[in-house]
Every structure is written in C-alpha cells, then in structure tokens.
Amino acid sequence: MFLPFFLIFLSFFHFTIVFSSHSCTTSTSTKTFEKCMPLPSQDASIAWTFHPHNVTLDIVFFGSFISPSGWVGFGINPNSPEMTGTRALIAFPDPNSGQLVLLPYIIDPSVKLQKSPLLSKPLDIHLLASSSTLYGGKMATIHNGATIQIYATLKLVSNKTKNVHFVWNRGIYVQGYSPTIHPTNINDLSSIATIDVLSGSQSTCHNNFLTLKDVHGVINSISWGVILPLGAVTARYLRHVESLGATWFYVHAGVQLSGISLGTIGFAIGVRLGQLSGGRVYGLHRNLGIATFVLGMLQTLALFFRPKTTNKFRKYWKSYHHFVGYGCVVLGVVNVFQGFEVMGEGRSYVKLGYCLCLSTLIGVTVALEVNSWVVFCRKAKEDKMRREGLIGSSGKFSGSSHG
C-alpha cells in the first residue's frame, strides 16, 4: 500500500525536479554560443563555442550568489576533476566600492586545508580574455539569488579537449579580497564536471557517480525509511488478529527481510560512494548509517536464535528483539532525513513525498493503536464482569429469576 505510493511519488517529483531546475541557454545579452549544458549542482550551467582551428574556447558560466557579501567562482582544473589545482575566476563585490570585480585565483592544497587565505594571482593557463556581469545589467545589485555570468576565452591544449575538468562554487563571505570557504553540503562538494567540449558530452564516470548517489538515496529511503517501519507495524498489530494464527509472523519476517535485503544494497552503494567522494566525509550520516545497518543485521540474526514459547529465555529474547528493532527503525528514519540534508534536498519535493508517505504510515499506526486499546479495554471489562458472574461464558448477561 505505502511502497507503490512512495515509489510513484518519489519518481514523479525526482524527474520533475531534474527537468525543471536543470536547464541551459546558448544566448546572453551580448553573445550567442553553439552549445550549452546544465551543471549537476547549484542550478548552474555553461554555454560555449569551441574553435578547433586554433583550439580556443569561448565560454560563459551562469551561477548565482547566496549572500550579498558572497562570491561566485568558475574555473578549469588542467590535471584532475577536483578543486585542488583549479585555475579559477572569482567574482564578488569590491570591499571598497561595492562594484562587481572578477579576479584570478589558483586553488592550491594549503587553501583547501584552510592553512592560508586564498590570494589572487595570475593564472598559468592561456586565458585570453575574461569578464563578468550581473543579470539585469548595470542597475543590478548583488544579493542572495542574484544571477551572474562569468565569461572567459582561453586556449586549450590540442590533445586535451575531450576531458576538460570544470569546477565551480560559491560562498557567503569575502575577507578583503580573499574568498572564504564555501558551504560543505553535497551540492557544494560535487560541483565538478568533466566535459568533451567538441562533442558536448559529459564524462561517464561523473554521470555514474550522480546515478549512484540517486540510487543510494532512493533505495535507502524505501528500505530503512518505509519497509522496515511497515514491518514493525505488521508485527505489533497483526499478531493480535486471532484468525491469522501464525501467518502474522511470516508476513512480518517477509517484510523485514525484504527491507534488510534492499537496505544492504543501499548500504553497499553508500560505501562505494564514500570511496568515490575524494576525501569528503559526511560523519553524522555515515555513523548513523553504520549503526542502523548493524542493528538491522542483529535483528536478522536474531531470527535464527528465536527460542520456543516454552523456553525460559523467551521473554529476554522478546525484550532484546523489541529494543533492537525499534532502535533500528528510529535510526533508519532519522538517517533518511539526514540523507536529504546531505544531498541538498532538505527543502525538495522528494523530501515532501517521503514526509507524506511517512505521515500516512504514522496515521495508520495511531488508528490501529487506538483500536487495539479499545479492544483491550473491552476485553478487560468483559473478563472482570465474567469473574463477578455478571455475564456467562457466552458473553450474555446472567441474572436470577424471582418467582
């Protein structure tokens, strides 16, 4: 009931977001380019024209500010798809005049580790021209959400046009003429794209990373965030339906094993993503994921050591099973929400879809809990009346006749 609804809802809004927010244009107010491409984070995009005869690239980057005193940067890493080593052009408001300025920077390892401030220096690549402008022309002002265009013309190395590593980012503050560190959520840490400027295709490796990230999020949201809580609900309420007999146990076990199996796949993908993340560590999300997975495995192993109902250790096993099970469900749901934040989907329709699904499950659980207490109280009252002789074993009121 809940799983198909969630899958449809999640898929619909996932593709809605992808197609609505990832767009690009080849035209600006001053120039028209041959190709364009939406970039995978920060709602950024690029447009370019490549001239094979002299191996020059005319390119414009479309980005946006996240602070009136912030910065937006775009550049090329001539060696590898990472921030360290990037030759960047960074735009920000001049601390003296407030006007938009564009300066060159080289991102070296000391800057990434925050051992030294980022200082402007000439680039050691063939940058032929550069400029920047705010969307809206001369009357535009820098504010949160202001759109900027960074133009550059540069000469590429003739045998390195198939894998050009573009890097971009934005921050909230500039100290003097030194941009400070950018935010560190997954959108900001994955702002890298490797593109063949001749064909306009993106690197397969980068696409695979983004696909793995999406698959990881969807699988774990379904398994740890929906199926396992649903399995806990079936165990708590179906076991009291006498007509089902032992069927409730097999339903519960089947649902939980399905969730654990799917969750194990999602966990394995998460481990692989960690290996591909180039030193990026999402500590809280990772630790919650490990704890949830360990509890899930303990629950699965507990099935093989389940004592018989007549065994004196059965009550201890039940306490352990309930404690570990509910702990796994709570940690799983919490980590799903943490995952949304890590992926930069904290205010997305995808998260809204999950919240609606989870709210529906919680609503059904509350209704079943109220109903179970009503049934329990009714049976307790009938048992008391039966002990006092007010009703017979058939449930009918008994009384004495006077003649």
Side-chain angles (χ1 to χ4, degrees):
M1 174 182 176
F2 302 101
L3 185 56
F5 167 78
F6 182 63
L7 280 170
I8 294 171
F9 199 94
L10 189 65
S11 299
F12 173 76
F13 279 109
H14 173 73
F15 288 111
T16 298
I17 292 170
V18 168
F19 288 114
S20 63
S21 62
H22 288 65
S23 59
C24 67
T25 179
T26 57
S27 299
T28 68
S29 59
T30 58
K31 202 166 188 178
T32 299
F33 298 86
E34 290 182 355
K35 293 182 174 65
C36 73
M37 176 178 289
L39 298 174
S41 67
Q42 301 179 353
D43 292 329
S45 65
I46 57 174
W48 74 93
T49 298
F50 178 62
H51 307 282
H53 64 281
N54 58 4
V55 204
T56 57
L57 180 70
D58 290 322
I59 190 167
V60 59
F61 168 79
F62 300 88
S64 59
F65 285 91
I66 55 174
S67 166
S69 57
W71 56 268
V72 175
F74 173 72
I76 287 179
N77 190 320
N79 301 313
S80 59
E82 60 179 334
M83 182 182 75
T84 302
T86 296
R87 279 61 172 171
L89 295 170
I90 300 179
F92 53 87
D94 188 291
N96 297 316
S97 65
Q99 298 298 310
L100 182 68
V101 295
L102 182 71
L103 296 176
Y105 295 84
I106 297 177
I107 317 298
D108 57 48
S110 63
V111 172
K112 182 176 180 179
L113 297 174
Q114 302 181 60
K115 292 182 178 180
S116 62
L118 180 59
L119 301 177
S120 178
K121 63 178 68 175
L123 302 183
D124 54 0
I125 59 175
H126 297 290
L127 180 65
L128 305 178
S130 64
S131 63
S132 63
T133 181
L134 289 172
Y135 181 78
K138 295 182 179 180
M139 299 301 294
T141 58
I142 299 175
H143 58 273
N144 184 7
T147 302
I148 185 174
Q149 299 164 3
I150 298 177
Y151 296 85
T153 300
L154 46 93
K155 188 176 182 64
L156 301 179
V157 179
S158 58
N159 60 348
K160 292 186 177 180
T161 60
K162 287 189 175 182
N163 292 298
V164 181
H165 309 300
F166 294 104
V167 182
W168 64 97
N169 227 307
R170 56 193 181 181
I172 61 174
Y173 183 66
V174 177
Q175 187 173 5
Y177 288 90
S178 297
T180 59
I181 188 170
H182 57 74
T184 55
N185 62 45
I186 195 168
N187 278 331
D188 299 296
L189 294 175
S190 60
S191 53
I192 301 168
T194 301
I195 298 172
D196 181 343
V197 295
L198 186 59
S199 67
S201 61
Q202 195 170 354
S203 167
T204 303
C205 293
H206 188 76
N207 286 334
N208 289 343
F209 179 82
L210 295 176
T211 300
L212 275 180
K213 184 182 73 173
D214 291 341
V215 171
H216 169 74
V218 171
I219 287 180
N220 284 336
S221 297
I222 294 171
S223 56
W224 303 106
V226 177
I227 296 180
L228 289 182
L230 184 60
V233 170
T234 60
R236 178 164 179 80
Y237 301 108
L238 291 185
R239 66 186 302 171
H240 299 296
V241 181
E242 296 178 358
S243 59
L244 292 178
T247 304
W248 73 267
F249 172 77
Y250 298 108
V251 173
H252 167 65
V255 172
Q256 297 301 74
L257 286 175
S258 299
I260 288 293
S261 300
L262 199 60
T264 301
I265 296 173
F267 180 79
I269 294 175
V271 172
R272 179 58 181 160
L273 284 172
Q275 296 171 347
L276 296 174
S277 294
R280 303 168 203 151
V281 177
Y282 307 102
L284 179 59
H285 183 58
R286 181 192 62 182
N287 294 337
L288 285 174
I290 293 173
T292 305
F293 180 73
V294 169
L295 291 179
M297 291 297 103
L298 289 174
Q299 278 293 81
T300 304
L301 292 174
L303 288 175
F304 299 101
F305 301 98
R306 182 170 175 253
K308 295 182 179 180
T309 54
T310 55
N311 192 299
K312 64 179 181 179
F313 294 106
R314 175 68 176 226
K315 61 180 180 180
Y316 301 111
W317 181 90
K318 287 181 66 176
S319 298
Y320 157 83
H321 188 63
H322 289 163
F323 177 79
V324 174
Y326 287 126
C328 180
V329 168
V330 171
L331 285 182
V333 171
V334 169
N335 205 29
V336 168
F337 283 103
Q338 179 62 23
F340 284 128
E341 297 302 321
V342 167
M343 294 181 70
E345 301 287 350
R347 296 185 178 182
S348 68
Y349 287 113
V350 178
K351 182 180 178 181
L352 175 61
Y354 175 72
C355 289
L356 290 175
C357 182
L358 187 63
S359 299
T360 303
L361 181 57
I362 292 174
V364 171
T365 302
V366 170
L368 291 172
E369 185 69 19
V370 171
N371 179 71
S372 66
W373 276 102
V374 170
V375 173
F376 173 79
C377 293
R378 183 185 300 152
K379 286 185 176 181
K381 183 177 181 180
E382 289 178 355
D383 290 342
K384 180 180 179 181
M385 295 176 69
R386 189 175 290 110
R387 288 193 301 270
E388 293 175 353
L390 297 178
I391 59 174
S393 58
S394 62
K396 296 181 179 179
F397 282 93
S398 60
S400 56
S401 57
H402 299 278

